[in-house]
Amino acid sequence: MGARPDQSDVSARPYQSYVYAYPHKTAYRPLPGRPALRELWRGERKDALSLYLHIPFCEVRCGFCNLFTRIGAPDGLTGRYLDALDRQATAVRDALDEGEPGAAGTRLARFANAAFGGGTPTFLTAGELSRLCDIAEKRMGADLRTIPLSVEASPATATADRLAVLAERGTTRLSIGVQSFVDEEARAAVRPQRRADVEAALGRIRDAAIPVLNIDLIYGIDGQTPATWRTSLDAALAWRPEELYLYPLYVRPLTGLARRTAHTDRAWDEQRLALYRQGRDHLLAHGYEQVSMRMFRRAGAPAQGPDDHACQTDGMIGLGCGARSYTSALHYSFDYAVGMGEIRAIVDDYTATGDFGRAVHGRSVDGDEARRRHLLQSVLQARGMPVAGYRDRFGTGPWDDFPGELAAFAARGWLEGDGTGDLLRLTPEGLAHSDALGPALFSPAVRAAMAAYAPK
C-alpha cells in the first residue's frame, strides 16, 4: 500500500509541517461535475457526526497566522455572512435527510460534538453569537447543551457579554490564543496585546464557568529564551487550565513574519526542540498528561470531544467558507487562500452564494489514503494506535502497508520497541518529531498536489 522509501527519505529536521488534517487543503482541487451533497452523504453513517462552524474574521492578523481569515468586517459583512451560513446549513441539513428532494425526509443525522472556529468566532457580537448557536441548533439539529461544544476566542474579544452567551448556550470548552505572556514576544510575533489584558480576559473566562479552559502558547519566537518561556508557562499554569497547547512557531509563505524574517536554519530547529522539551517536562511535572506533541491535559480534567490530530474524523460537517467536510470517500470545502485579497474575494463569493447543495472543491480519499489518514490520526497521539483496530478496519496490518516508513521511524528511535507489537506507539523522541514523522506518511499523489499548489 505505502511507498517503500529508504531511511534517508525520512527527514530528521523536526519542523516540517503540522499535520492537523490529511490530506491538506493545498492538495484539494475543483471537483468535476460539482457532486450533489445528497448523493455524497447517501449511505454514510450519520449517527455521530461532528459539526464545525467557521467564522473567517479577526480584529488583527498575527504575524505567524496562515489561517483562512480576514481582518475586520466592514459594511454589515458579518450579518451577510451569517445569512449565507444559514442558507448553507439549510441546504446541508436537507442533503443529510433521507427521502426524495422536496419531500419530508426522515432525520437520521445526529451530532456528537460541535466546534466554532476561525478566524475568531468571538469577533461576532453577543447577538451574532446567539444567532450562530441558533443556526447550529435550529437549522442543523445539534443540541448544543447536551454535546461537547468548543469555541475559539482571543483576549480582546473574550468580553463578558459574549462569554455569557456562550456559557448559556452550552459551551463546554473555550480555547484562547495567548501565545506569550511576555509583551515583547507578543510584539515580535506581530500579535499586539498586553499581558494585563490577557490576564483580564482569562479572569472573565473563569468567571463565566465554562468547564474547560485551553490556553495556546508558542515557542520559537524571536528573542524568546528559556527564562521567558518559563515565564509564559508559569503564567498560564497560574490559571490551572484544563488544557494547554504548546505550538512551535512556523514562518509560512504570505504571512506577516514571512515578510520580515527568514527562519530556515538548523539552529532554530535546535532552539525550538529545546524549548519544546522544557515546556513538556515543566507541564508533566505540574500534573499534566501529554496527549500529543502539542496537547497537554491536566490530570483528571474532562475530555471534550476527539483529541488533537483526531479532531477531524470521517463524518465531519463543516459550515462556512473556510470549513471542511468529510465523508468516508471525499473531503471537500471551498477554495483556500492565505493572501488577504484572495480571502476577501472568497468570503464575498460565499456571502453571495444562493445554492449550497453541491461540493465544489476537494479530494477523494481512496483505500490507500484512508489507511494513511487512519495511521496519522492515531500514531501521532501519545497513547498510540491499537494494531487490532487498524486490522479490523482494513484487513491488513500497518507493517504490511507501510514497511518502509515504519522501518525508518524505528531506525531513528521514534517507535517503542520495534513497533511490531499490539500497540504502535511513539517514543518521547518520536512525539517530539511529530512534524517530521507526519509528512513522511503523505502519499506521492498528495505530495505532488501540494507541491503544484500555487500559494495565493
Side-chain angles (χ1 to χ4, degrees), residues 231-248:
T231 295
S232 284
L233 291 167
D234 285 341
L237 287 171
W239 291 97
R240 290 188 49 79
E242 285 70 25
E243 295 176 3
L244 274 160
Y245 271 73
L246 308 185
Y247 287 95

Side-chain angles (χ1 to χ4, degrees), residues 38-57:
R38 180 175 291 272
E39 296 305 316
L40 293 179
W41 285 97
R42 192 185 304 277
E44 294 284 321
R45 282 195 59 177
K46 297 188 279 284
D47 59 334
L49 297 171
S50 297
L51 178 63
Y52 177 77
L53 275 64
H54 179 255
I55 302 299
F57 306 110

Side-chain angles (χ1 to χ4, degrees), residues 98-172:
E98 301 294 328
E100 295 301 317
T106 302
R107 293 202 163 189
L108 300 178
R110 298 290 184 271
F111 292 95
N113 57 79
F116 302 158
T120 307
T122 49
F123 179 90
L124 301 177
T125 66
E128 289 170 335
L129 283 172
S130 184
R131 185 181 178 195
L132 185 68
C133 293
D134 284 344
I135 291 171
E137 291 187 327
K138 297 177 181 178
R139 291 289 185 264
M140 292 306 298
D143 188 350
L144 299 182
R145 292 179 178 83
T146 63
I147 62 175
L149 170 61
S150 178
V151 181
E152 297 173 4
S154 68
T157 60
T159 59
D161 59 339
R162 292 175 170 101
L163 294 170
V165 168
L166 294 176
E168 193 276 328
R169 298 301 291 265
T171 301
T172 55

Side-chain angles (χ1 to χ4, degrees), residues 33 178 201 247 275 289 387 391 451:
V178 173
Y247 287 95
L275 294 173
E289 302 167 338
V387 173
R391 286 190 179 277

Side-chain angles (χ1 to χ4, degrees), residues 129-299:
L129 283 172
S130 184
R131 185 181 178 195
L132 185 68
C133 293
D134 284 344
I135 291 171
E137 291 187 327
K138 297 177 181 178
R139 291 289 185 264
M140 292 306 298
D143 188 350
L144 299 182
R145 292 179 178 83
T146 63
I147 62 175
L149 170 61
S150 178
V151 181
E152 297 173 4
S154 68
T157 60
T159 59
D161 59 339
R162 292 175 170 101
L163 294 170
V165 168
L166 294 176
E168 193 276 328
R169 298 301 291 265
T171 301
T172 55
R173 178 180 183 271
L174 198 291
S175 179
I176 185 167
V178 173
Q179 320 314 352
S180 177
F181 283 86
V182 179
D183 291 353
E184 294 79 9
E185 290 177 4
R187 287 194 294 272
V190 194
R191 184 179 179 85
Q193 66 185 25
R194 297 183 308 127
R195 176 172 176 173
D197 296 329
V198 171
E199 300 277 5
L202 289 167
R204 292 191 294 271
I205 294 168
R206 282 311 199 193
D207 288 343
I210 292 170
V212 172
L213 165 63
N214 173 71
I215 297 176
D216 290 344
L217 298 177
I218 286 181
Y219 54 92
I221 300 170
D222 279 353
Q224 192 174 50
T225 68
T228 63
W229 180 224
R230 172 71 178 264
T231 295
S232 284
L233 291 167
D234 285 341
L237 287 171
W239 291 97
R240 290 188 49 79
E242 285 70 25
E243 295 176 3
L244 274 160
Y245 271 73
L246 308 185
Y247 287 95
L249 180 67
Y250 275 93
V251 175
R252 301 179 177 96
L254 302 181
T255 63
L257 287 182
R259 295 188 289 271
R260 297 172 47 166
T261 59
H263 285 303
T264 58
D265 60 308
R266 290 182 181 271
W268 192 40
D269 285 349
E270 290 304 316
Q271 181 209 19
R272 285 180 289 177
L273 266 178
L275 294 173
Y276 159 77
R277 290 172 177 139
Q278 176 190 352
R280 174 198 63 195
D281 294 347
H282 196 59
L283 296 187
L284 293 177
H286 281 77
Y288 283 75
E289 302 167 338
Q290 186 165 19
V291 178
S292 70
M293 171 186 161
R294 287 165 169 76
M295 184 181 179
F296 296 81
R297 179 179 293 129
R298 200 179 76 210

Side-chain angles (χ1 to χ4, degrees), residues 7 406-417 425-431 433:
Q7 183 179 337
L406 295 179
F409 300 158
R412 290 195 178 278
W414 292 354
L415 295 180
E416 286 193 353
R425 184 175 178 181
L426 299 181
T427 62
E429 196 63 13
L431 271 180
H433 285 79

Side-chain angles (χ1 to χ4, degrees), residues 22-95:
Y22 180 80
H24 190 269
K25 254 189 168 183
T26 54
Y28 290 14
R29 293 296 183 270
L31 293 171
R34 295 165 60 99
L37 299 187
R38 180 175 291 272
E39 296 305 316
L40 293 179
W41 285 97
R42 192 185 304 277
E44 294 284 321
R45 282 195 59 177
K46 297 188 279 284
D47 59 334
L49 297 171
S50 297
L51 178 63
Y52 177 77
L53 275 64
H54 179 255
I55 302 299
F57 306 110
C58 288
E59 71 273 17
V60 295
R61 187 165 199 182
C62 303
F64 51 83
C65 178
N66 73 336
L67 298 178
F68 187 94
T69 188
R70 61 160 292 162
I71 300 170
D75 303 321
L77 181 56
T78 54
R80 295 195 300 277
Y81 185 83
L82 289 172
D83 290 343
L85 202 64
D86 200 329
R87 294 194 300 274
Q88 185 187 9
T90 299
V92 171
R93 185 72 221 204
D94 287 347

